[in-house]
Amino acid sequence: MKNKSFTLLIEQLEQIPSIGKKSANKIAYTLALENKILALNLANCIENAVQNIQQCEICGGIAEGKICEICEDDTRLYSGMLCIVSNPKDILIIEEANIFSGIYFVVDDAKRIDFEGLRANIKLYNIQEIIFAFSPSLMSDAMILFIEDKLKDEKLIFSKIAQGIPTGVGLDNIDRLSLTRALEGRAKI
Ligand SMILES: [Zn+2]
């Protein structure tokens, strides 16, 4: 088969979320012909990321090594606020918006929530407020109730971001201003 490597590259690129056939073709052309240095740097970055990046043992966020930068930062650990997100990449989005100075906790599946770890963090860092930063949906409302119920003996304030965030839209599709408003205007629950 002719151009086997090129076809294979396009096929792999197409596996990446949000990259369609047209983009895959364009990127493959850039990498394989137009900018081989970029391609090799990219290959190297991907290899390093795959080897070094994992989920933080404390919060479940993205970490280079065992513990993420946020969980290593004393000023953040003792802010009294813990933000619960449903995906590690939501932490990056909130961090990029520079609107939150506390710590995070990732819960991806209600059945597997590490309540022991969550309670340990609440106690250890003297957390007073839990903020749920889920995109609004029936599922996330159910998850909030479930978590709140499990933590009801911890004397916590619970709040959730809501304002300006449409139902069913992921945090990665929300502009920074709306996200800032949503966090500042968080409602107690
Ligand atoms: Zn962490």
Side-chain angles (χ1 to χ4, degrees):
M1 191 175 142
K2 265 188 192 171
N3 294 332
K4 198 175 153 205
S5 322
F6 195 66
T7 311
L8 205 61
L9 180 58
I10 293 171
E11 277 172 15
Q12 291 305 306
L13 287 167
E14 273 186 285
Q15 307 289 313
I16 301 172
S18 82
I19 294 188
K21 189 150 190 84
K22 222 172 152 184
S23 304
N25 270 302
K26 235 177 174 171
I27 297 168
Y29 184 76
T30 303
L31 296 177
L33 283 163
E34 286 186 330
N35 197 339
K36 286 178 188 277
I37 291 175
L38 169 70
L40 293 176
N41 282 340
L42 187 65
N44 192 30
C45 283
I46 293 173
E47 202 177 330
N48 282 339
V50 170
Q51 267 170 13
N52 300 330
I53 290 177
Q54 50 186 285
Q55 277 189 274
C56 170
E57 285 183 359
I58 297 173
C59 71
I62 298 165
E64 185 111 28
K66 287 185 173 174
I67 312 290
C68 77
E69 276 178 17
I70 299 165
C71 290
E72 272 178 342
D73 182 347
D74 272 0
T75 59
R76 302 199 56 153
L77 287 174
Y78 298 100
S79 74
M81 289 188 294
L82 187 144
C83 178
I84 298 188
V85 294
S86 59
N87 195 302
K89 68 177 193 288
D90 291 343
I91 295 178
L92 293 182
I93 295 159
I94 298 171
E95 283 299 294
E96 215 158 89
N98 208 6
I99 47 174
F100 179 68
S101 55
I103 53 172
Y104 296 93
F105 199 84
V106 179
V107 295
D108 11 40
D109 181 351
K111 289 181 206 94
R112 290 185 296 136
I113 294 174
D114 174 17
F115 278 107
E116 229 170 89
L118 185 54
R119 278 175 187 278
N121 290 356
I122 289 168
K123 284 223 161 58
L124 190 58
Y125 304 122
N126 196 21
I127 298 299
Q128 281 128 41
E129 181 178 0
I130 300 264
I131 301 158
F132 293 97
F134 296 156
S135 53
S137 73
L138 285 177
M139 265 281 280
S140 66
D141 280 349
M143 182 99 102
I144 288 171
L145 286 175
F146 178 68
I147 297 171
E148 215 186 320
D149 186 60
K150 288 267 184 187
L151 298 174
K152 61 176 179 239
D153 52 327
E154 298 277 354
K155 284 190 190 146
L156 293 159
I157 297 167
F158 293 97
S159 57
K160 67 171 178 178
I161 63 164
Q163 264 185 352
I165 299 197
T167 304
V169 172
L171 292 191
D172 42 352
N173 289 311
I174 292 156
D175 64 276
R176 186 182 160 161
L177 188 65
S178 304
L179 194 60
T180 308
R181 284 198 187 127
L183 195 78
E184 281 171 354
R186 63 186 184 270
K188 273 185 194 163
I189 43 176

